[in-house]
Amino acid sequence: MRLVAEWYMRRQMRQNSLEKRLGQVEKELGALREEVRELRRAFLELCKERSGK
């Protein structure tokens, strides 16, 4: 029974660690998406300025 309990606890710790890392990756992905949006807006503005000259 002790082995089962230890296995279960290790499994829970691994799962919690994976969930924490997944949360970090999702946060980083959100930040990258926002950076891409900002770069795209800046690029489009630059294109408009150049075409207007």
Side-chain angles (χ1 to χ4, degrees):
M1 188 67 169
R2 181 176 170 207
L3 290 175
V4 172
E6 288 176 4
W7 171 82
Y8 180 77
M9 288 174 62
R10 281 194 300 268
R11 183 176 160 268
Q12 286 298 105
M13 287 173 41
R14 270 194 312 266
Q15 184 174 352
N16 290 341
S17 176
L18 288 173
E19 287 174 357
K20 182 178 177 183
R21 180 63 185 135
L22 179 59
Q24 291 171 339
V25 169
E26 288 174 339
K27 185 176 178 180
E28 291 171 12
L29 181 59
L32 287 171
R33 283 180 175 149
E34 186 56 34
E35 285 184 47
V36 169
R37 283 187 201 108
E38 290 175 17
L39 287 171
R40 185 169 186 254
R41 280 187 221 117
F43 178 73
L44 291 173
E45 283 296 317
L46 183 61
C47 289
K48 286 179 187 177
E49 289 175 10
R50 289 187 176 219
S51 68
K53 288 185 176 181

